[in-house]
Amino acid sequence: TEVSYNSAPNLLSAMDRSPRTAAIVVLALLLPAAVLMAGCTQQEPLTVRIADHPTYGKLVTDSTGRSLYIQARDVPNTGAVANLGEVGRFYPPFYAESVASGNGINISEFGHITRADGKQQTTFRGWPLYYYINDKEPGDAKSQGANNITFLAKPDYTVMVRENATSGIYLSDTA
């Protein structure tokens, strides 16, 4: 009986052949690791928490500390989400599959809606919650009061700003 042995291919000799081959080999080795790392950036499902902000006090944030916002043009407790037009791309909806109690969180104040575009969105006291894409770091609150329409979600609000076509901007009791 004859047995033959084929050793593993010598990658170094393949890389010596041409720079293009070397680049392909390197990409083939690194791509699976990059794909795995990209899928593992969020270790836990998103939820909400109450965070202390040095300027704005207590805020509702996601579990990573990113600020969450409400839009005065939305109609709370209806599932209606205002069409923000081109500005909407700056305010992606926030969605947490579940909300855990503790740390000042009253889970009865949170819910979720399915928007007309099919996206899920978490609500706070009936108000749909949003991120602001230019808030990059935990604690950023760059869109607070933008155009008198976008406001940080705060657990101590008793009234919130709203806007509609007939009344303009006005305050609404959230109770």
Side-chain angles (χ1 to χ4, degrees), residues 35-49:
V35 169
L36 285 174
M37 287 175 26
C40 296
T41 57
Q42 184 65 39
Q43 303 215 350
E44 297 178 10
L46 283 175
T47 187
V48 294
R49 67 183 179 107

Side-chain angles (χ1 to χ4, degrees), residues 46-49 51 59-69 90 92 94 130-141 152:
L46 283 175
T47 187
V48 294
R49 67 183 179 107
L59 305 179
V60 179
T61 69
D62 74 5
S63 50
T64 67
R66 288 191 59 201
S67 299
L68 297 173
Y69 295 87
F90 293 100
F94 167 75
Y130 299 87
Y131 286 116
Y132 176 54
I133 64 168
N134 290 324
D135 284 353
K136 302 292 184 194
E137 300 293 324
D140 281 354
L152 291 162

